[in-house]
Amino acid sequence: MARTVIPMDLGWKFHRGDADSPVGKSFDDQEWKTVTLPHDWSVEEPFSREHSSGGGYLPGGIGWYRGKALIPEALRGKHLTLEFDGVYNHSRVWVNGYYFGKHPYGYTPFAYDVTHTQTPDGVLCVAVRVHHEHTADSRWFTGSGITRRVRLTVQEDCRFARNGVFFAVTGETDKGLSLRLRTSVEKDAERDLICTFELTSPDGTILWKGEGKPVQATGTETLEWETVTDGPRWSPDDPALCTLRVTLSEGSEILDEETVPVGLRSIRFDPNEGFFLNGVNMKFKGICIHHDAGPLGAAVPLPVWERRLKLLKEMGCNAIRMSHNPQMTELYGLCDRMGFLVMDEAFDEWEGPKNKWWQGHNVYPPQLHGYFEDFPEWHEKDLRAMVERDRNHPSIVLWSIGNEIDYPNDPYCHTSFAEMTGNNDSAKPAAERRYNPDKPNAERIPVIAARLRDIVKSCDETRPVTAAIAYPELSNRTGYCDTVDVCGYNYKEQWYDEDHAKYPERILYGSENGQGYLQWKAVTDRPFIAGQFLWTGIDFFGETRLWPDHGSHAGLMTTAAFPKTSYFFRRSLWSDAPCLKLVSRPAVKDGNPWRRRAGENFGWNYAPGQEVEAVVYTNCPKVTLELNGEKLGEYAPDPETGCVEVPIAFREGKLTASCGDLKDSIETVGRAVSVSLYADRTELKADGTDVTVIEARLLDGSGRWVPFADEVLTVTATEGLEILALDSGNLLDTSDCKVRSRAAYEGRLIVCVRAGTKAGEEVLRVSVPGFEDKEIAVTLTDPS
């Protein structure tokens, strides 16, 4: 019998608060709320100033979960592994009344061998206590609960170990790629076992077929094969995925089998020429992301991420930094399939606690809770969990052991600097900038970094280890920069040239960068810089300034994945395809580009004669502007700003920018009178987990989008659709995350709905006072 995986997403019972030992099978949980996993209780409760600003003003606390799995009769008595993809945080797990342990970190997977808990009825009752005590335990929103998926894996007494299949590209030769396969087999009984495998290309061609190897002794044994071969190469432009099928057999009986999507690609970093993929030099056109999705919280359905990544791909993005923790496992598979290079990141803090803002960003005093409390005991387990889970993904090209661990005086200090400030310290009190002998010494950082690097290398020696360095001025002295293979600088473009000259063997890239034109020029003008990762790709909850704001506005897109004007600026810099986007803004006599861009919008509605600016984001050499058919002139992007900026005295009508066949227009629109609906998908599986996103736009009497409309939309649905959230992208809207009525922001919002478990036709309806109701049909199909 090959393995059987039993998903455990449906039918969980949830109780908010503590409970008196609800761990046995007979405990009555009928009064508890029924939930589907993944689940985040933080977004089910109101925003409140009582909670940490860093956590988006949303609560943590204690919650209990109870879930059940029924093991089919033919599978009873087999080996059982209960797997959690992530629980935030400090989880404790019981199965059929047996206690299995705790797991503090909310972002790494963990599992328990629960074989001995089986009972004759085949029912497995799982109880999980989650204790997210401090919402100021992070610098951003974390969510609370079983925020990722859970499954039960049934296997024979001889089987592949969990994460025990490791496929790697170890090098490149004239004859092709050097490949290696390692498998770890757990053998609990005396059997004559043979391990075989087959690697096939996307069209089914066999690329590598391994000679069967016997498994000799009981216990755990690792088998290894190597070869040189070639096939379709994986890349962002053509993310070709091969299929690796590994089989463990006794005679003709298959005892276990794993099928793993893998990619054939080579990676290389050079201190003078940057990054090479499959021998081709390229730049990281990267963005950083956090793990939440606005009102959905940390329980993000994969189709939501697919929608986001599709837009990033269209922008020209080719790389993603998983900031600042391992993300949901399905996201890495999506990056494999869509073609994104990935930096996988483990930690935001090590032994020393970073400042956690709880009453506004950089408002002192901070609180000092967080992972540092568990790091000494758990760092190796968590780091191994990340690398061993993710190492088969061809998208991953860098392992990051930490983000801004060396941030000045937060908490590490050093006698070399009497005073230090970081990139985000304009409001830092003078005392916090000065050297403090009572704080940890920064010389400790390279010691820990070397240990973490070695842990990564013991799991995967084929990819380089990196870290996001906040203060190279000091980390060059302590040796921290020398402990990693590839060195990422956060907001330190001014040191690129000097450090390249001083440390000629160092490989450099921007691990976190501002979105300005000059920051990108710092990459394109220097062959030795491998690329950049912008902060950030998408807005997120937490790390907010002051109430009622409850998130970061740093994204190129809103939490609803609506592109901002900055998205189109980035597209003009990164996209290989010709592109052009026209926006406008009130004229601002200010040299600061960020203050000028603050008022940018997608409309053309101003007061008569008002001084405005037309802004064109394009990679075309010249564009023509016309207002109501009258040519205003031809303009080339400014070499200092990277865009076209033209002052105009406002006149009502239609403004058009063009370059050859490329055209874009904005026009004066009327008030909103109707709503349009568009769904990413209108056919879902009736499996209780499938999700689609529906976009609502407010239109004027001529059917044009009204980008300043803010009418309240009310959403209802028939029984087979569950409304998960409405999101306008407005981070100042403190309506509860689960409301069914929400004001549009810039004339639009999205509705995220989940399928029920019965096939049939369902309907979602949107109502706006004074408008005709709008409906969209969604078909639920039999998942079998």
Side-chain angles (χ1 to χ4, degrees):
M1 178 210 80
R3 72 177 60 190
T4 299
V5 178
I6 302 174
M8 293 185 64
D9 297 325
L10 304 181
W12 285 75
K13 293 293 186 176
F14 172 68
H15 171 72
R16 178 71 166 90
D18 220 340
D20 185 15
S21 192
V23 301
K25 293 175 70 171
S26 62
F27 181 85
D28 185 3
D29 56 20
Q30 292 306 301
E31 298 301 316
W32 289 19
K33 179 181 178 181
T34 301
V35 299
T36 297
L37 301 185
H39 176 252
D40 178 0
W41 81 66
S42 291
V43 291
E44 295 180 343
E45 301 183 24
F47 293 100
S48 172
R49 300 183 74 166
E50 298 176 3
H51 309 307
S52 164
S53 61
Y57 295 110
L58 286 167
I62 296 174
W64 277 90
Y65 293 85
R66 286 173 54 86
K68 292 182 179 179
L70 177 62
I71 304 169
E73 189 169 353
L75 301 181
R76 293 172 193 172
K78 306 291 186 183
H79 185 275
L80 303 181
T81 304
L82 180 63
E83 300 181 74
F84 293 85
D85 285 347
V87 181
Y88 202 94
N89 60 355
H90 292 282
S91 65
R92 297 167 67 194
V93 176
W94 292 258
V95 179
N96 286 348
Y98 294 90
Y99 176 63
F100 278 88
K102 62 182 180 180
H103 190 82
Y105 200 31
Y107 299 117
T108 46
F110 58 98
Y112 300 111
D113 178 351
V114 298
T115 305
H116 71 273
T117 68
Q118 297 182 70
T119 53
D121 62 4
V123 174
L124 224 65
C125 180
V126 179
V128 182
R129 184 180 188 267
V130 183
H131 191 186
H132 183 195
E133 181 178 6
H134 302 289
T135 57
D137 65 348
S138 171
R139 300 186 301 114
W140 59 87
F141 171 79
T142 62
S144 305
I146 305 180
T147 55
R148 297 178 185 173
R149 302 186 70 180
V150 178
R151 70 193 61 82
L152 184 69
T153 300
V154 186
Q155 295 169 285
E156 293 285 357
D157 52 11
C158 297
R159 61 201 169 270
F160 293 118
R162 183 167 172 266
N163 298 321
V165 174
F166 177 25
F167 173 87
V169 178
T170 59
E172 186 164 17
T173 72
D174 294 340
K175 297 181 180 180
L177 296 175
S178 299
L179 307 181
R180 185 189 65 218
L181 174 65
R182 288 177 183 161
T183 64
S184 292
V185 178
E186 294 176 344
K187 186 178 179 184
D188 295 342
E190 286 293 342
R191 292 199 186 201
D192 294 326
L193 303 179
I194 295 291
C195 183
T196 59
F197 70 89
E198 188 174 87
L199 178 69
T200 56
S201 69
D203 66 3
T205 302
I206 297 176
L207 302 175
W208 184 21
K209 192 167 185 177
E211 177 185 348
K213 288 192 176 185
V215 182
Q216 302 292 345
T218 55
T220 300
E221 182 174 349
T222 299
L223 306 176
E224 184 171 311
W225 295 260
E226 292 183 331
T227 194
V228 175
T229 189
D230 217 332
R233 297 293 185 97
W234 183 95
S235 72
D237 292 334
D238 184 14
L241 288 174
C242 300
T243 301
L244 176 67
R245 182 171 175 259
V246 190
T247 304
L248 187 67
S249 305
E250 182 181 38
S252 61
E253 182 185 3
I254 296 177
L255 299 183
D256 202 0
E257 183 175 88
E258 279 206 49
T259 301
V260 184
V262 297
L264 302 181
R265 92 290 180 268
S266 65
I267 60 173
R268 179 170 65 88
F269 288 85
D270 184 272
N272 294 311
E273 298 181 88
F275 175 68
F276 291 80
L277 180 71
N278 299 322
V280 178
N281 186 239
M282 65 172 60
K283 300 285 191 183
F284 292 131
K285 300 174 180 178
I287 53 93
C288 304
I289 57 169
H290 274 311
H291 68 294
D292 73 287
L296 290 166
V300 187
L302 189 61
V304 172
W305 274 116
E306 188 170 5
R307 179 173 182 267
R308 293 169 154 205
L309 265 58
K310 181 181 178 182
L311 287 163
L312 290 171
K313 194 77 174 177
E314 291 172 357
M315 186 186 73
C317 175
N318 67 8
I320 295 175
R321 177 187 176 202
M322 304 296 187
S323 313
H324 300 295
N325 48 260
Q327 308 272 338
M328 57 186 266
T329 185
E330 301 92 335
L331 182 54
Y332 299 87
L334 191 60
C335 290
D336 292 342
R337 296 190 297 275
M338 295 186 71
F340 287 93
L341 303 164
V342 171
M343 184 205 312
D344 208 2
E345 192 155 69
F347 307 118
D348 188 55
E349 65 183 10
W350 296 345
E351 291 177 342
K354 286 186 176 180
N355 293 334
K356 312 298 191 312
W357 308 114
W358 58 283
Q359 53 185 349
H361 192 59
N362 279 353
V363 177
Y364 283 79
Q367 292 189 8
L368 299 175
H369 308 291
Y371 181 68
F372 79 95
E373 301 169 45
D374 302 298
F375 180 88
E377 179 181 351
W378 285 87
H379 68 271
E380 181 168 357
K381 299 174 189 175
D382 288 324
L383 188 53
R384 287 187 181 278
M386 179 187 82
V387 177
E388 291 178 355
R389 180 196 69 173
D390 296 340
R391 60 191 177 181
N392 284 323
H393 290 286
S395 55
I396 296 176
V397 296
L398 286 166
W399 300 116
S400 172
I401 56 175
N403 171 64
E404 295 188 343
I405 303 300
D406 60 334
Y407 196 89
N409 294 1
D410 191 15
Y412 293 96
C413 295
H414 198 266
T415 54
S416 298
F417 289 84
E419 184 175 292
M420 292 192 295
T421 56
N423 63 282
N424 201 20
D425 285 346
S426 60
K428 179 176 277 190
E432 296 293 329
R433 303 174 184 225
R434 291 194 290 266
Y435 170 72
N436 182 346
D438 292 333
K439 287 190 172 185
N441 190 321
E443 292 177 10
R444 174 68 174 159
I445 295 176
V447 176
I448 304 173
R451 182 193 310 159
L452 297 178
R453 177 203 60 210
D454 291 346
I455 293 169
V456 172
K457 295 291 187 182
S458 71
C459 301
D460 174 23
E461 71 278 23
T462 69
R463 296 174 176 90
V465 174
T466 188
I469 306 295
Y471 206 64
E473 300 95 310
L474 174 58
S475 293
N476 284 329
R477 301 187 186 192
T478 63
Y480 179 28
C481 291
D482 297 326
T483 63
V484 293
D485 304 311
V486 178
C487 204
Y489 280 13
N490 283 14
Y491 309 101
K492 292 292 182 178
E493 290 87 355
Q494 69 270 27
W495 291 103
Y496 285 173
D497 291 332
E498 182 174 330
D499 282 5
H500 177 59
K502 191 179 294 184
Y503 310 102
E505 297 305 311
R506 179 174 297 172
I507 299 166
L508 285 171
Y509 70 102
S511 42
E512 191 169 311
N513 304 87
Q515 298 171 13
Y517 184 56
L518 293 180
Q519 284 93 329
W520 178 236
K521 290 286 288 179
V523 175
T524 59
D525 290 348
R526 293 165 176 81
F528 61 88
I529 297 296
Q532 67 172 192
F533 290 85
L534 301 182
W535 191 259
T536 175
I538 308 167
D539 288 351
F540 56 93
F541 276 7
E543 202 170 9
T544 187
R545 298 290 170 179
L546 290 171
W547 177 269
D549 201 346
H550 52 269
S552 169
H553 301 253
L556 300 168
M557 299 190 294
T558 68
T559 55
F562 291 133
K564 303 179 185 179
T565 62
S566 56
Y567 168 99
F568 295 100
F569 177 44
R570 189 55 41 177
R571 185 183 67 170
S572 73
L573 301 179
W574 284 358
S575 177
D576 293 328
C579 60
L580 179 153
K581 186 66 179 177
L582 174 62
V583 301
S584 69
R585 65 188 180 215
V588 177
K589 295 179 180 178
D590 192 315
N592 186 308
W594 295 110
R595 280 194 284 271
R596 293 205 311 274
R597 288 176 178 166
E600 283 185 358
N601 62 87
F602 298 103
W604 188 244
N605 281 65
Y606 299 95
Q610 181 178 347
E611 291 186 13
V612 297
E613 289 182 339
V615 182
V616 185
Y617 294 123
T618 183
N619 52 15
C620 298
K622 280 189 177 182
V623 296
T624 300
L625 280 179
E626 294 180 356
L627 179 57
N628 298 329
E630 175 189 340
K631 182 175 179 180
L632 302 181
E634 292 186 355
Y635 307 91
D638 188 318
E640 296 298 319
T641 64
C643 62
V644 173
E645 301 166 298
V646 181
I648 301 174
F650 174 74
R651 284 182 285 154
E652 188 175 301
K654 185 175 183 179
L655 183 66
T656 301
S658 63
C659 177
D661 294 334
L662 281 180
K663 285 188 178 182
D664 192 32
S665 299
I666 52 179
E667 54 188 316
T668 310
V669 297
R671 66 179 182 85
V673 297
S674 67
V675 62
S676 68
L677 300 178
Y678 168 79
D680 287 353
R681 293 185 298 144
T682 56
E683 187 174 295
L684 303 178
K685 294 179 181 178
D687 61 2
T689 64
D690 202 4
V691 163
T692 189
V693 176
I694 298 168
E695 180 180 333
R697 283 200 177 207
L698 296 174
L699 310 178
D700 72 358
S702 299
R704 299 171 299 187
W705 171 40
V706 183
F708 52 82
D710 59 359
E711 279 80 0
V712 174
L713 287 71
T714 298
V715 182
T716 56
T718 49
E719 186 177 359
L721 291 178
E722 179 186 1
I723 300 171
L724 296 179
L726 281 61
D727 187 6
S728 69
N730 183 3
L731 291 171
L732 296 175
D733 181 353
T734 55
S735 304
D736 291 357
C737 291
K738 299 302 180 182
V739 295
R740 298 295 173 260
S741 296
R742 187 179 295 279
Y745 181 59
E746 297 182 341
R748 53 194 177 180
L749 60 72
I750 60 168
V751 185
C752 186
V753 296
R754 182 163 58 201
T757 55
K758 293 183 179 179
E761 295 293 324
E762 303 295 337
V763 175
L764 181 133
R765 179 180 294 107
V766 175
S767 303
V768 181
F771 294 11
E772 183 178 340
D773 288 359
K774 191 73 174 179
E775 295 182 349
I776 189 168
V778 179
T779 302
L780 307 189
T781 62
D782 188 336
S784 61

